[in-house]
Amino acid sequence: MSLRIVVCVKYVPDATGDRKFADDLTVDRDDVDGLLSELDEYAVEQALQIAEEADDAEVTVLTVGPEDAKDALRKALSMGADKAVHVEDDDLHGTDVMGTSLVLAKAIEKTGYDVVIAGMASTDGTMGVLPAILAERLGVPQVTLLSEVKIEGGPNGIVTGRRDGDTASEQLEASLPAVVSVTDQSGEARYPSFKGIMAAKKKPVESLELDDLDIDADEVGLAGAWTAVDSAAERPARTAGTIVKDEGEGGKQLAEFLASQKFI
Amino acid sequence: MAEILVYVDHVDGAVRKPTLELLTLARRIGEPVAVALGNGAADTAAVLAEHGAVKVLTADAPEFTEYLVVPKVDALQAAYESVSPAAVLVPSSAEGKEIAARLAVRIGSGIITDAVDLEAGDEGPVATQSAFAASFTTKSRVSKGTPVITVKPNSAPVEAAPAAGAVEALAVSFGALATGTKVTARTPRESTGRPELTEAAIVVSGGRGVNGAENFGIIEALADSLGAAVGASRAAVDAGWYPHSNQVGQTGKSVSPQLYIASGISGAIQHRAGMQTSKTIVAINKDAEAPIFDLVDYGVVGDLFDVVPQLTEEVKSRKG
Ligand SMILES: Cc1cc2nc3c(=O)[nH]c(=O)nc-3n(C[C@H](O)[C@H](O)[C@H](O)COP(=O)(O)OP(=O)(O)OC[C@H]3O[C@@H](n4cnc5c(N)ncnc54)[C@H](O)[C@@H]3O)c2cc1C
Ligand SMILES: Cc1cc2nc3c(=O)[nH]c(=O)nc-3n(C[C@H](O)[C@H](O)[C@H](O)COP(=O)(O)OP(=O)(O)OC[C@H]3O[C@@H](n4cnc5c(N)ncnc54)[C@H](O)[C@@H]3O)c2cc1C
């Protein structure tokens, strides 16, 4: 039996661009280029490695996002994923993490899965909680924030991994199905090859709407959100600091500054 | 007054500073009821009481250490059901966020993560968040259910406010999911004797410019002269010069100290995401064009191998 791997990938505004909020306090997607969240490339990479190790496996990449989010799916397909699912619906605009996780959970159940792999956090919302919520919603073990991951025994097998926490490094084990998330310590993501990019154009991308997932419009979107953003203000530019060139006394001058600020 | 559930982050009974900060914030919106789980849970009561906990709910069971996250969610949910609080506050550690998020789904509530401030508002607590690598500040609310909010370290002062802190045993029954993810081994992180990175008042960080594991000694010497924690950029960590647990930035620790000193760090957006909210920022870099200088209160354009040791000597002599 084939090991079914679903990778959740998010389409995000480029972190090196001028990211900002739109008038309705959602992310402004018009003025900044979007891309596959860099931290999700690590999830795609681990999925591909697990698939390569397994006798028989299929990697599906899944995103919830606007039309342009197809770019993120294409990138993942060109890295080597087999097929893609895109949940796209006008009513999704402004969805918070509870709505997003609901949509992802329903889409994952519809697609069928033995393991779900996600990134450690998106590079825009950066909440870092979605994988845990997915595990809760799907009712399967969470094996999250792994810097090393391994799956053995196919669809009825086990997942093991290492989680490097604040106070300890832990070795984890769970049986499939499970939700996994991986950190950027899990291994560099491969670059798409020319062949991969060409092949990606022919790979299937399935589009789903809320109706297909039996989700009502009022369960998601800005109106259905369980959180509300009241204001977003650009941080005032820092007042220009003092910059000195070291002419041999740089360390002493810096000590003088630190003393003036009462740090020493 | 409304009760506010506060999840206690502790190691064998020693309460970590972010929890004491949470008690300060909790008192702005109600009466803190603390929930301490695992080995040493009851030992937390005295310090929690000193900082305003009216009640301390405790539970210990092997499940908390033998399985990942979910047993703690079961326990927090039991506390939630016994107290019916007006809000649930959890420290923004990786585990804290996961516990909070799963609780929020179960109790049908929205969640806000990584708040940097919290105030009472007309429609419930208002959280300040810092977005897009701290280039924006937002104010948000949970609009459905009981607000579940995780708060970053260094978001509030630690204040003494003696309260009863009555200890009560919390009855927890673990659900079927609790034993889903087994912790098969655990290697505790070795203590360096330096302050905890996320809690430190001063952080001294080194980057690619430090150029070698052996040279991190000069960064550590400066840190020790100031009683600071040591941080590193991802470039330095990836090169194997310093442990990943000391990485500052988007995928490392997010720090917000009174003083941040960056040496040989260019200031890439992912690094800034983890330190931009520091109160005072100082950088030493030989490239006058390095983006880090856009953030600094004081910058020295120079070779860190000259500037850092001189600074260390000066700090030591001034401190006597
Ligand atoms: C600045 C900012 C702050 C926000 N704060 C909050 C908040 O406090 N509360 C709240 O409820 N919502 C918040 N949101 C909205 C929230 O970010 C989105 O709903 C989001 O899709 C889920 O959270 P995340 O991206 O932060 O996920 P994370 O938990 O950081 O993401 C982890 C992983 O989940 C997967 N994933 C996340 N989103 C998708 C997706 N759309 N499609 C496929 N896979 C995905 C990816 O694998 C990703 O690596 C915020 C958004 C922004 C931009
Ligand atoms: C998804 C993602 C997540 C990331 N997460 C993080 C993160 O959490 N934290 C992080 O730090 N980075 C992160 N990065 C990496 C980030 O983009 C940068 O590559 C990294 O921060 C660069 O580290 P650096 O400043 O030490 O090195 P460089 O950018 O190479 O800068 C080195 C600096 O040292 C200076 N220098 C050299 N020699 C000397 C000397 N003798 N004296 C004084 N100055 C000297 C140079 O002028 C230069 O400015 C992430 C990247 C991605 C894509």
Side-chain angles (χ1 to χ4, degrees):
Chain A
M1 245 195 354
S2 175
L3 178 71
R4 295 164 302 168
I5 307 172
V6 176
V7 190
C8 296
V9 298
K10 191 178 184 189
Y11 179 73
V12 297
D14 187 346
T16 59
D18 199 6
R19 293 179 294 179
K20 52 183 196 295
F21 288 90
D23 291 341
D24 65 354
L25 303 178
T26 62
V27 177
D28 171 22
R29 296 175 178 273
D30 294 336
D31 297 327
V32 195
D33 290 338
L35 42 70
L36 166 62
S37 175
E38 279 165 308
L39 294 170
D40 293 347
E41 291 183 17
Y42 295 89
V44 175
E45 177 62 38
Q46 289 308 311
L48 296 174
Q49 287 189 21
I50 288 164
E52 284 156 10
E53 290 273 313
D55 286 342
D56 181 17
E58 182 180 57
V59 177
T60 305
V61 287
L62 163 66
T63 198
V64 174
E67 161 84 43
D68 297 348
K70 285 205 170 55
D71 289 356
L73 295 175
R74 284 282 165 228
K75 170 87 184 268
L77 290 172
S78 62
M79 287 172 73
D82 300 302
K83 61 190 181 75
V85 175
H86 183 189
V87 186
E88 187 191 355
D89 199 306
D90 288 345
D91 290 326
L92 283 167
H93 178 79
T95 306
D96 67 358
V97 75
M98 288 304 166
T100 303
S101 59
L102 174 72
V103 177
L104 284 170
K106 294 251 187 175
I108 289 164
E109 276 168 340
K110 188 179 168 75
T111 303
Y113 72 103
D114 301 302
V115 58
V116 177
I117 307 186
M120 63 185 287
S122 69
T123 59
D124 60 347
T126 67
M127 296 181 73
V129 298
L130 198 128
I133 297 178
L134 269 185
E136 179 70 36
R137 287 197 184 277
L138 295 169
V140 302
Q142 76 166 73
V143 198
T144 48
L145 298 171
L146 303 183
S147 47
E148 263 172 29
V149 57
K150 217 184 170 98
I151 288 181
E152 281 161 323
N156 299 314
I158 59 163
V159 49
T160 53
R162 195 181 82 233
R163 169 167 164 130
D164 295 320
D166 258 7
T167 54
S169 179
E170 294 165 330
Q171 209 63 43
L172 306 178
E173 182 182 307
S175 48
L176 299 185
V179 174
V180 166
S181 77
V182 298
T183 73
D184 59 335
Q185 301 289 301
S186 59
E188 277 307 305
R190 69 194 64 188
Y191 286 103
S193 64
F194 179 69
K195 215 173 114 216
I197 294 167
M198 295 314 287
K201 298 194 167 140
K202 299 203 195 73
K203 290 178 179 171
V205 177
E206 182 186 2
S207 282
L208 297 175
E209 294 182 353
L210 290 175
D211 271 352
D212 301 316
L213 299 173
D214 292 321
I215 297 174
D216 290 335
D218 60 11
E219 291 180 81
V220 295
L222 259 187
W226 299 17
T227 50
V229 182
D230 289 335
S231 69
E234 193 153 6
R235 223 178 132 87
R238 290 186 89 99
T239 43
T242 309
I243 297 184
V244 301
K245 195 169 167 353
D246 178 34
E247 312 271 10
E249 299 282 294
K252 288 188 180 148
Q253 286 167 286
L254 185 45
E256 192 57 48
F257 170 77
L258 296 182
S260 75
Q261 301 294 307
K262 309 241 181 320
F263 289 115
I264 40 179
Chain B
M1 204 153 67
E3 290 173 310
I4 308 296
L5 220 50
V6 173
Y7 181 85
V8 177
D9 189 2
H10 70 101
V11 180
D12 298 331
V15 178
R16 302 176 79 195
K17 189 166 149 257
T19 301
L20 302 180
E21 297 168 9
L22 276 195
L23 290 171
T24 302
L25 294 175
R27 279 185 280 114
R28 290 187 193 160
I29 53 177
E31 285 191 329
V33 173
V35 182
L37 307 174
N39 184 36
D43 301 342
T44 61
V47 69
L48 296 171
E50 217 173 288
H51 293 88
V54 295
K55 219 189 299 177
V56 181
L57 305 176
T58 65
D60 192 10
E63 279 83 352
F64 294 129
T65 37
E66 288 171 11
Y67 300 93
L68 191 73
V69 174
V70 189
K72 292 172 180 164
V73 183
D74 288 348
L76 191 57
Q77 186 179 7
Y80 169 82
E81 281 159 6
S82 79
V83 170
S84 314
V88 181
L89 305 183
V90 181
S92 272
S93 63
E95 187 189 46
K97 287 204 280 191
E98 292 186 332
I99 294 170
R102 294 187 71 139
L103 175 76
V105 184
R106 288 188 187 182
I107 65 175
S109 294
I111 179 170
I112 288 172
T113 57
D114 294 322
V116 295
D117 202 1
L118 202 60
E119 290 298 334
D122 296 340
E123 295 161 277
V126 176
T128 305
Q129 283 171 294
S130 131
F132 300 148
S135 56
F136 278 82
T137 302
T138 61
K139 300 243 186 220
S140 314
R141 282 174 295 120
V142 169
S143 48
K144 187 175 167 207
T146 303
V148 177
I149 301 173
T150 81
V151 181
K152 279 198 184 190
N154 280 335
S155 296
V158 173
E159 288 165 2
V167 181
E168 270 178 36
L170 175 69
V172 186
S173 57
F174 296 109
L177 288 177
T179 54
T181 309
K182 201 169 171 36
V183 179
T184 54
R186 179 179 285 116
T187 320
R189 204 169 287 301
E190 271 174 49
S191 166
T192 57
R194 296 194 178 89
E196 183 66 37
L197 188 54
T198 52
E199 301 171 10
I202 304 180
V203 174
V204 176
S205 286
R208 202 194 305 269
V210 174
N211 200 23
E214 63 287 0
N215 300 334
F216 255 85
I218 69 168
I219 301 293
E220 290 179 328
L222 174 59
D224 291 342
S225 74
L226 291 162
V230 178
S233 73
R234 175 157 156 198
V237 166
D238 282 353
W241 303 340
Y242 223 67
H244 174 61
S245 48
N246 295 71
Q247 181 179 315
V248 171
Q250 182 183 51
T251 56
K253 299 270 163 61
S254 158
V255 302
S256 200
Q258 296 299 318
L259 171 64
Y260 187 83
I261 304 181
S263 301
I265 292 177
S266 60
I269 183 79
Q270 297 88 355
H271 187 79
R272 281 156 47 180
M275 48 67 73
Q276 200 153 342
T277 53
S278 304
K279 307 292 175 300
T280 299
I281 298 175
V282 167
I284 301 151
N285 194 305
K286 66 181 182 190
D287 174 10
E289 304 295 315
I292 190 90
F293 285 127
D294 296 342
L295 300 182
V296 299
D297 297 286
Y298 198 92
V300 180
V301 179
D303 192 320
L304 70 91
F305 293 100
D306 298 328
V307 179
V308 174
Q310 188 180 66
L311 172 60
T312 307
E313 280 319 304
E314 195 64 22
V315 173
K316 280 196 205 153
S317 72
R318 279 172 190 254
K319 284 195 166 173

